[in-house]
């Protein structure tokens, strides 16, 4: 493998591993804040125990997320220095705002929340966790605005062979970035709901702390149901934004090779044949279905992959399969939540539901990871869509350096992953402290 492929593998590994922690941080911080608010308003000690129990799991996840995020950002200097040199004026400023504003705010008030139980008043202590939750989600906004520039570059001028910032508000107001933000947050909140339901199901199956985990389950169920539906609905609108800005990505997502000027069908069963630039299998077609999904019009034209040179097309098979995985898992999530809603008052009498929710904990994780594969692989061969190719962004370093760092980071992340799973499993299984 050359430097480019090794660098891509390293960044993909680091990004996907880091994003295991991010969505739970975003969603669970809100849930913990809601629990503590209920405690402050009602004085019910159960909500205080819930806050401490789920808050401990949140802190474990947060710490591991910080460690993996730091090593990820370093790669823009070590592996992608030409990218940093070319768009650093824009991309770097967004990351700087995220670190100096959102991350420092988040970390500071998390420290106050952890150590302030017997120091701060109940209302001030609850305010701390709300500030942590708000800063966490603000941090995600700046990261996604930076990624939104890579997907849909706006607000720049080319000067002295570099992309320089010309309109900060155009960058911040990038509609693609805001579509991504809503989509990511909806998925993260749904994931947190599934995490809470899954852990609660484990204890309800054993009939341990039934009132405690029934309340937890119902709160997670509301989050899971509302946001799993929202992420699906918003995903449809986001796909239409992709159609306008990245039509080649849409064609790869659906393995559409030929341009259809009078309505593109959508096939329910497709087997792409990338080598021969066609599909080996196309079954159960819905006339105009893809045109409707992309444009809300059964007769709208949709471009096929053959409209682009072979070296400017995304990898079709990986994009296609990842999109199918995301949609399939995203469809399963609201169905499970509806089942949970129907049995919400008979949870301990429905062991099949509890077992299903326990084993469904990985489902939103897999859906989110598949979504990011679609977003990033589907943009290739561009690192900044239409502006800079990935091959032109890699650092001028030797293969052995990247190979060494790839192996080292993989081993480090495997260790961190093992620590995270062990700690989450240990404290989740242990259950809440006694009143």
């Amino acid at each position: 493998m050359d430097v480019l492929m090794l660098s891509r593998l390293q960044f993909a590994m680091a990004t996907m591993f880091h994003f295991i922690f991010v969505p739970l941080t975003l969603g669970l911080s809100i849930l913990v804040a809601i629990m503590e608010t209920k405690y402050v308003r009602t004085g019910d000690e159960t909500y205080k125990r819930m806050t401490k129990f789920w808050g401990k799991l949140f802190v474990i996840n947060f710490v591991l997320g910080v460690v993996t995020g730091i090593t990820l950002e370093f790669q823009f200097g070590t592996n992608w220095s030409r990218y940093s040199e070319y768009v650093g004026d824009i991309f770097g400023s967004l990351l700087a705002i995220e670190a100096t504003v959102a991350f420092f705010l988040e970390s500071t008030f998390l420290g106050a929340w952890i150590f302030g139980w017997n120091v701060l008043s109940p209302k001030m202590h609850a305010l701390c966790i709300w500030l942590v939750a708000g800063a966490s989600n603000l941090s995600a906004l700046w990261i996604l605005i930076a990624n939104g520039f890579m997907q849909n570059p706006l607000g720049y001028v080319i000067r002295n062979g570099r992309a320089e910032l010309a309109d900060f508000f155009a960058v911040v107001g990038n509609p693609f970035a805001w579509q991504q933000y809503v989509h990511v947050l909806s998925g993260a909140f749904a994931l947190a709901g599934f995490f809470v339901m899954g852990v609660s199901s484990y204890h309800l199956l054993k009939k341990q702390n039934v009132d405690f985990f029934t309340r937890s389950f119902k709160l997670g169920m509301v989050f899971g149901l509302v946001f799993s539906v929202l992420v699906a609905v918003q995903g449809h609108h986001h796909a239409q934004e992709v159609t306008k800005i990245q039509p080649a990505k849409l064609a790869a997502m659906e393995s559409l090779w030929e341009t259809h000027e009078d309505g593109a069908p959508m096939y329910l069963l497709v087997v792409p044949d990338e080598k021969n630039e066609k599909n080996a299998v196309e079954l159960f077609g819905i006339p105009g279905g893809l045109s409707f999904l992309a444009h809300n019009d059964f007769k709208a034209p949709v471009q096929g992959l053959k409209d682009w040179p072979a070296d400017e097309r995304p990898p079709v098979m990986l994009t296609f399969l990842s999109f199918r995985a995301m949609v399939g898992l995203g469809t399963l999530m609201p169905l499970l939540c509806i089942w949970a809603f129907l049995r919400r008052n008979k949870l301990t009498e429905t062991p099949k539901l509890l077992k299903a929710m326990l084993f469904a904990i990985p489902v939103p994780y897999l859906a989110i990871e598949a979504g990011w594969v679609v977003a990033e692989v589907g943009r290739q061969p561009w690192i900044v869509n239409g502006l800079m190719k990935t091959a032109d962004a890699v650092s001028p370093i030797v293969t052995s350096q990247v190979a060494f760092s790839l192996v080292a980071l993989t081993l480090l992340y495997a260790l961190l992953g093992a620590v995270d799973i062990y700690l989450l499993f240990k404290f989740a299984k242990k259950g809440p402290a006694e009143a």
Side-chain angles (χ1 to χ4, degrees):
M1 292 188 186
D2 58 9
V3 171
L4 174 61
M5 180 55 68
L6 287 171
S7 294
R8 291 177 69 181
L9 287 174
Q10 179 173 305
F11 196 80
M13 181 274 297
T15 303
M16 295 183 74
F17 190 87
H18 173 60
F19 215 78
I20 292 173
F21 306 99
V22 171
L24 186 59
T25 293
L26 298 177
L28 196 54
S29 62
I30 299 289
L31 283 169
V32 171
I34 291 172
M35 292 171 188
E36 184 162 8
T37 301
K38 283 180 172 286
Y39 163 65
V40 172
R41 292 182 63 183
T42 65
D44 189 333
E45 287 291 324
T46 299
Y47 285 118
K48 182 178 182 180
R49 293 171 65 218
M50 288 168 62
T51 302
K52 289 193 171 186
F53 173 74
W54 296 108
K56 183 180 292 184
L57 301 182
F58 164 74
V59 171
I60 293 169
N61 183 81
F62 175 85
V63 170
L64 270 295
V66 170
V67 174
T68 56
I70 291 173
T71 56
L72 176 63
E73 291 195 7
F74 282 159
Q75 291 185 51
F76 290 113
T78 58
N79 295 64
W80 305 101
S81 61
R82 288 190 174 116
Y83 167 80
S84 298
E85 180 181 3
Y86 189 69
V87 299
D89 284 0
I90 305 164
F91 196 81
S93 64
L94 299 172
L95 295 187
I97 293 171
E98 184 273 333
T100 56
V101 177
F103 178 69
F104 286 163
L105 179 67
E106 178 183 22
S107 303
T108 299
F109 282 99
L110 181 60
W113 184 79
I114 292 171
F115 299 107
W117 277 102
N118 299 316
V119 178
L120 300 173
S121 69
K123 288 184 178 180
M124 288 301 298
H125 193 265
L127 177 61
C128 285
I129 192 62
W130 277 112
L131 289 170
V132 171
S136 297
N137 287 273
L138 180 62
S139 176
L141 173 61
W142 288 107
I143 294 296
L144 288 168
I145 288 174
N147 184 264
F149 176 80
M150 299 169 74
Q151 305 282 352
N152 180 35
L154 297 173
Y156 71 94
V157 294
I158 302 299
R159 186 182 294 122
N160 301 320
R162 300 171 64 245
E164 297 183 1
L165 183 63
D167 187 344
F168 179 76
F169 292 103
V171 175
V172 173
N174 190 337
F176 197 97
W178 284 93
Q179 288 267 8
Q180 279 189 308
Y181 184 61
V182 175
H183 197 58
V184 168
L185 252 61
S186 300
F189 292 173
L191 181 147
F194 269 77
F195 179 82
V196 170
M197 284 190 287
V199 174
S200 299
S201 294
Y202 172 83
H203 290 277
L204 291 173
L205 282 167
K206 294 180 175 295
K207 294 185 169 53
Q208 299 171 345
N209 296 287
V210 172
D211 177 59
F212 180 101
F213 284 109
T214 297
R215 295 194 203 185
S216 296
F217 186 101
K218 289 182 177 180
L219 185 56
M221 176 197 68
V222 172
F223 252 52
L225 179 58
V226 171
F227 290 105
S228 62
V229 172
L230 179 60
V231 75
V233 173
Q234 196 279 329
H236 170 66
H237 294 289
H238 188 44
Q240 293 182 333
E241 191 76 12
V242 169
T243 303
K244 292 187 292 184
I245 295 171
Q246 299 175 328
K249 178 187 287 186
L250 176 77
M253 286 160 56
E254 295 292 345
S255 190
L256 182 71
W257 294 95
E258 303 290 344
T259 295
H260 292 258
E261 296 291 348
D262 191 29
M266 183 176 68
Y267 293 95
L268 301 182
L269 179 59
V270 177
V271 178
D273 182 357
E274 197 165 355
K275 182 179 179 181
N276 295 306
E277 299 185 340
K278 65 177 185 178
N279 293 326
V281 176
E282 289 182 343
L283 295 174
F284 313 116
I286 303 173
L290 181 55
S291 291
F292 181 79
L293 288 176
H295 299 284
N296 291 328
D297 181 356
F298 285 101
K299 296 295 184 179
V302 180
Q303 287 181 277
L305 286 160
K306 290 184 180 180
D307 278 11
W308 291 271
D311 63 350
E312 292 189 7
R313 299 172 192 163
V316 177
M317 183 62 80
L318 182 56
T319 306
F320 172 84
L321 292 177
S322 298
F323 179 67
R324 291 297 186 279
M326 178 187 69
V327 171
L329 295 169
T331 302
L332 176 62
M333 289 165 59
L335 295 177
L336 287 170
C337 290
I338 291 170
W339 185 17
F341 177 78
L342 295 174
R343 302 295 298 177
R344 66 190 183 280
N345 295 321
K346 297 181 179 180
L347 293 175
T348 56
E349 301 170 28
T350 318
K352 288 183 179 180
L353 168 65
L354 298 177
K355 289 178 182 177
M357 297 311 299
L358 174 59
F359 288 107
I361 291 176
V363 168
Y365 283 98
L366 295 172
I368 287 174
E369 294 285 12
W372 273 112
V373 172
V374 174
E376 300 304 302
V377 174
R379 190 181 68 245
Q380 299 306 311
W382 303 98
I383 191 167
V384 181
N385 189 45
L387 184 62
M388 185 183 199
K389 288 190 173 181
T390 307
D392 299 326
V394 71
S395 296
I397 51 180
V398 298
T399 304
S400 59
Q401 291 175 307
V402 189
F404 175 80
S405 61
L406 173 59
V407 172
L409 280 175
T410 301
L411 293 174
L412 172 63
Y413 281 8
L415 175 62
L416 292 173
V419 170
D420 179 67
I421 293 171
Y422 168 76
L423 291 174
L424 286 177
F425 181 80
K426 175 183 176 181
F427 288 104
K429 184 179 179 181
K430 182 179 179 181
E434 294 302 320

